[in-house]
Amino acid sequence: MAKKLKTYQTSLGFYDQAIAAPSMKAALAAWGASSNLFHQGVARETDDPDVVAATMAKPGVVLRRPVGSDGPFTESAELPIDLGGGEAKPKRKSKSKAESKPTSKKRPAKTARHASREIDDAAARKAAAAFEKEERRREAARAKEEAARAKERARRDKAVAAAEAALDKATREHEAKAGAIEAERAALEARAEAEQERWDKQRHKLDQALRRARE
């Protein structure tokens, strides 16, 4: 059976982020967090009915809104408008108008929890199934990427093996030819030495004969 989804919320960089996931671990993985944001106190489970409804409509998908804003969570959120240091004060002024909203927005915890429980079991199962489908899609994409990397590694290894085999073959051929040439050179040197020795003896005899003829 598909696990029941819960809504988790955090703030990363310029955005508040929310997701419907079966566990904190799954939420951290979807956010790409390298540490446990829940233990650090910067992530939590939320019962806000608006946030729950938005995430349950797109389970497994990370939704965002500009950090510190009260707007709805969406798949593509714009950057916060009050990033400049010089405009910090005016933005706080305009934001003060919205400070009255928390009184109307803040609802008793029991009311929020009751609203979140109003999502019937069929909708929860549908959201959980959609989350698992999204997880399968991500896993299939990862498997496809790994298969492509494995194929590239195999192609590279095959090319390296072929190049090494060709180099080894050429080296053996070179060594064989070099050895044959060296043997021929040694034989020639031996013949040259033998010829020089024969000539030295013959010339010595001829020189002696020439001297006797002159006497």
Side-chain angles (χ1 to χ4, degrees), residues 3 11 14 26 72 75 77 96 106 108 113 119 145 154 158 190:
K3 294 180 67 176
S11 293
F14 297 123
E75 288 188 66
S96 65
K106 287 183 180 177
R113 284 194 292 271
I119 300 175
E145 291 176 0
K158 183 178 180 181

PDB file of all heavy atoms in Angstrom, residues 3 11 14 26 72 75 77 96 106 108 113 119 145 154 158 190:
ATOM      1  N   LYS A   3       2.246   4.742   1.086  1.00  0.00           N
ATOM      2  CA  LYS A   3       2.319   5.405   2.378  1.00  0.00           C
ATOM      3  C   LYS A   3       1.574   6.730   2.329  1.00  0.00           C
ATOM      4  O   LYS A   3       1.563   7.420   1.318  1.00  0.00           O
ATOM      5  CB  LYS A   3       3.784   5.631   2.754  1.00  0.00           C
ATOM      6  CG  LYS A   3       4.551   4.346   2.993  1.00  0.00           C
ATOM      7  CD  LYS A   3       5.991   4.637   3.360  1.00  0.00           C
ATOM      8  CE  LYS A   3       6.075   5.325   4.708  1.00  0.00           C
ATOM      9  NZ  LYS A   3       7.470   5.529   5.146  1.00  0.00           N
ATOM     10  N   SER A  11      12.834  26.696   4.445  1.00  0.00           N
ATOM     11  CA  SER A  11      13.291  27.895   3.748  1.00  0.00           C
ATOM     12  C   SER A  11      14.727  27.664   3.311  1.00  0.00           C
ATOM     13  O   SER A  11      15.598  27.401   4.147  1.00  0.00           O
ATOM     14  CB  SER A  11      13.209  29.124   4.649  1.00  0.00           C
ATOM     15  OG  SER A  11      11.861  29.443   4.944  1.00  0.00           O
ATOM     16  N   PHE A  14      16.489  31.952  -1.366  1.00  0.00           N
ATOM     17  CA  PHE A  14      15.494  33.008  -1.556  1.00  0.00           C
ATOM     18  C   PHE A  14      14.057  32.492  -1.489  1.00  0.00           C
ATOM     19  O   PHE A  14      13.125  33.248  -1.721  1.00  0.00           O
ATOM     20  CB  PHE A  14      15.706  33.684  -2.914  1.00  0.00           C
ATOM     21  CG  PHE A  14      17.032  34.374  -3.035  1.00  0.00           C
ATOM     22  CD1 PHE A  14      17.926  34.036  -4.055  1.00  0.00           C
ATOM     23  CD2 PHE A  14      17.406  35.356  -2.141  1.00  0.00           C
ATOM     24  CE1 PHE A  14      19.147  34.670  -4.176  1.00  0.00           C
ATOM     25  CE2 PHE A  14      18.624  35.995  -2.255  1.00  0.00           C
ATOM     26  CZ  PHE A  14      19.499  35.654  -3.265  1.00  0.00           C
ATOM     27  N   ALA A  26      12.349  11.541   2.573  1.00  0.00           N
ATOM     28  CA  ALA A  26      11.965  11.772   1.184  1.00  0.00           C
ATOM     29  C   ALA A  26      11.910  13.261   0.870  1.00  0.00           C
ATOM     30  O   ALA A  26      12.300  13.699  -0.213  1.00  0.00           O
ATOM     31  CB  ALA A  26      10.612  11.125   0.898  1.00  0.00           C
ATOM     32  N   PRO A  72       0.882  32.032  -2.412  1.00  0.00           N
ATOM     33  CA  PRO A  72       0.707  30.585  -2.600  1.00  0.00           C
ATOM     34  C   PRO A  72       1.991  29.929  -3.069  1.00  0.00           C
ATOM     35  O   PRO A  72       2.843  30.563  -3.685  1.00  0.00           O
ATOM     36  CB  PRO A  72      -0.370  30.510  -3.684  1.00  0.00           C
ATOM     37  CG  PRO A  72      -0.199  31.784  -4.463  1.00  0.00           C
ATOM     38  CD  PRO A  72       0.198  32.817  -3.452  1.00  0.00           C
ATOM     39  N   GLU A  75       5.085  25.862  -8.602  1.00  0.00           N
ATOM     40  CA  GLU A  75       6.280  25.194  -9.127  1.00  0.00           C
ATOM     41  C   GLU A  75       7.349  26.199  -9.541  1.00  0.00           C
ATOM     42  O   GLU A  75       8.540  25.933  -9.448  1.00  0.00           O
ATOM     43  CB  GLU A  75       5.909  24.309 -10.321  1.00  0.00           C
ATOM     44  CG  GLU A  75       5.140  23.072  -9.930  1.00  0.00           C
ATOM     45  CD  GLU A  75       4.957  22.117 -11.099  1.00  0.00           C
ATOM     46  OE1 GLU A  75       5.980  21.569 -11.573  1.00  0.00           O
ATOM     47  OE2 GLU A  75       3.813  21.950 -11.542  1.00  0.00           O
ATOM     48  N   ALA A  77       8.422  30.066  -8.813  1.00  0.00           N
ATOM     49  CA  ALA A  77       8.196  31.279  -8.029  1.00  0.00           C
ATOM     50  C   ALA A  77       9.236  32.327  -8.392  1.00  0.00           C
ATOM     51  O   ALA A  77      10.379  32.001  -8.714  1.00  0.00           O
ATOM     52  CB  ALA A  77       8.262  30.969  -6.542  1.00  0.00           C
ATOM     53  N   SER A  96       4.267  46.062   6.461  1.00  0.00           N
ATOM     54  CA  SER A  96       3.575  46.257   7.728  1.00  0.00           C
ATOM     55  C   SER A  96       2.078  46.180   7.556  1.00  0.00           C
ATOM     56  O   SER A  96       1.350  45.862   8.474  1.00  0.00           O
ATOM     57  CB  SER A  96       3.979  47.600   8.335  1.00  0.00           C
ATOM     58  OG  SER A  96       3.526  48.661   7.511  1.00  0.00           O
ATOM     59  N   LYS A 106      -3.765  33.347  11.120  1.00  0.00           N
ATOM     60  CA  LYS A 106      -3.502  32.413  12.191  1.00  0.00           C
ATOM     61  C   LYS A 106      -4.807  31.798  12.665  1.00  0.00           C
ATOM     62  O   LYS A 106      -5.753  32.481  13.001  1.00  0.00           O
ATOM     63  CB  LYS A 106      -2.810  33.120  13.364  1.00  0.00           C
ATOM     64  CG  LYS A 106      -1.349  33.466  13.080  1.00  0.00           C
ATOM     65  CD  LYS A 106      -0.717  34.095  14.277  1.00  0.00           C
ATOM     66  CE  LYS A 106       0.740  34.446  13.990  1.00  0.00           C
ATOM     67  NZ  LYS A 106       1.365  35.133  15.121  1.00  0.00           N
ATOM     68  N   PRO A 108      -6.537  28.554  15.064  1.00  0.00           N
ATOM     69  CA  PRO A 108      -6.206  27.621  16.142  1.00  0.00           C
ATOM     70  C   PRO A 108      -5.635  26.346  15.577  1.00  0.00           C
ATOM     71  O   PRO A 108      -6.020  25.880  14.520  1.00  0.00           O
ATOM     72  CB  PRO A 108      -7.558  27.388  16.831  1.00  0.00           C
ATOM     73  CG  PRO A 108      -8.378  28.588  16.471  1.00  0.00           C
ATOM     74  CD  PRO A 108      -7.933  29.011  15.112  1.00  0.00           C
ATOM     75  N   ARG A 113      -5.503  21.419  12.108  1.00  0.00           N
ATOM     76  CA  ARG A 113      -5.379  19.962  12.040  1.00  0.00           C
ATOM     77  C   ARG A 113      -6.672  19.329  11.545  1.00  0.00           C
ATOM     78  O   ARG A 113      -6.663  18.371  10.779  1.00  0.00           O
ATOM     79  CB  ARG A 113      -5.000  19.406  13.414  1.00  0.00           C
ATOM     80  CG  ARG A 113      -3.539  19.612  13.773  1.00  0.00           C
ATOM     81  CD  ARG A 113      -3.160  18.762  14.965  1.00  0.00           C
ATOM     82  NE  ARG A 113      -3.829  19.227  16.190  1.00  0.00           N
ATOM     83  CZ  ARG A 113      -3.308  20.151  16.979  1.00  0.00           C
ATOM     84  NH1 ARG A 113      -2.162  20.718  16.696  1.00  0.00           N
ATOM     85  NH2 ARG A 113      -3.954  20.512  18.078  1.00  0.00           N
ATOM     86  N   ILE A 119      -9.103  16.036   4.203  1.00  0.00           N
ATOM     87  CA  ILE A 119      -8.724  15.400   2.932  1.00  0.00           C
ATOM     88  C   ILE A 119      -9.056  13.923   3.061  1.00  0.00           C
ATOM     89  O   ILE A 119      -8.486  13.222   3.882  1.00  0.00           O
ATOM     90  CB  ILE A 119      -7.222  15.590   2.655  1.00  0.00           C
ATOM     91  CG1 ILE A 119      -6.899  17.066   2.581  1.00  0.00           C
ATOM     92  CG2 ILE A 119      -6.819  14.883   1.381  1.00  0.00           C
ATOM     93  CD1 ILE A 119      -5.432  17.347   2.434  1.00  0.00           C
ATOM     94  N   GLU A 145      20.412   7.514 -16.852  1.00  0.00           N
ATOM     95  CA  GLU A 145      21.696   8.237 -16.837  1.00  0.00           C
ATOM     96  C   GLU A 145      22.846   7.293 -16.484  1.00  0.00           C
ATOM     97  O   GLU A 145      23.916   7.348 -17.078  1.00  0.00           O
ATOM     98  CB  GLU A 145      21.638   9.385 -15.835  1.00  0.00           C
ATOM     99  CG  GLU A 145      20.704  10.517 -16.258  1.00  0.00           C
ATOM    100  CD  GLU A 145      20.593  11.588 -15.194  1.00  0.00           C
ATOM    101  OE1 GLU A 145      21.243  11.445 -14.136  1.00  0.00           O
ATOM    102  OE2 GLU A 145      19.857  12.572 -15.414  1.00  0.00           O
ATOM    103  N   ALA A 154      32.069   1.482 -20.896  1.00  0.00           N
ATOM    104  CA  ALA A 154      32.385   0.261 -21.634  1.00  0.00           C
ATOM    105  C   ALA A 154      33.017   0.595 -22.984  1.00  0.00           C
ATOM    106  O   ALA A 154      33.982  -0.051 -23.416  1.00  0.00           O
ATOM    107  CB  ALA A 154      31.110  -0.567 -21.837  1.00  0.00           C
ATOM    108  N   LYS A 158      36.783  -0.409 -23.974  1.00  0.00           N
ATOM    109  CA  LYS A 158      37.034  -1.202 -25.179  1.00  0.00           C
ATOM    110  C   LYS A 158      38.054  -0.506 -26.075  1.00  0.00           C
ATOM    111  O   LYS A 158      38.962  -1.141 -26.626  1.00  0.00           O
ATOM    112  CB  LYS A 158      35.723  -1.417 -25.938  1.00  0.00           C
ATOM    113  CG  LYS A 158      35.859  -2.305 -27.171  1.00  0.00           C
ATOM    114  CD  LYS A 158      34.506  -2.517 -27.830  1.00  0.00           C
ATOM    115  CE  LYS A 158      34.645  -3.397 -29.068  1.00  0.00           C
ATOM    116  NZ  LYS A 158      33.324  -3.593 -29.738  1.00  0.00           N
ATOM    117  N   ALA A 190      81.377  -9.770 -37.717  1.00  0.00           N
ATOM    118  CA  ALA A 190      82.232 -10.964 -37.635  1.00  0.00           C
ATOM    119  C   ALA A 190      82.897 -11.241 -38.980  1.00  0.00           C
ATOM    120  O   ALA A 190      84.099 -11.566 -39.063  1.00  0.00           O
ATOM    121  CB  ALA A 190      81.399 -12.164 -37.182  1.00  0.00           C
TER     122      ALA A 190
END
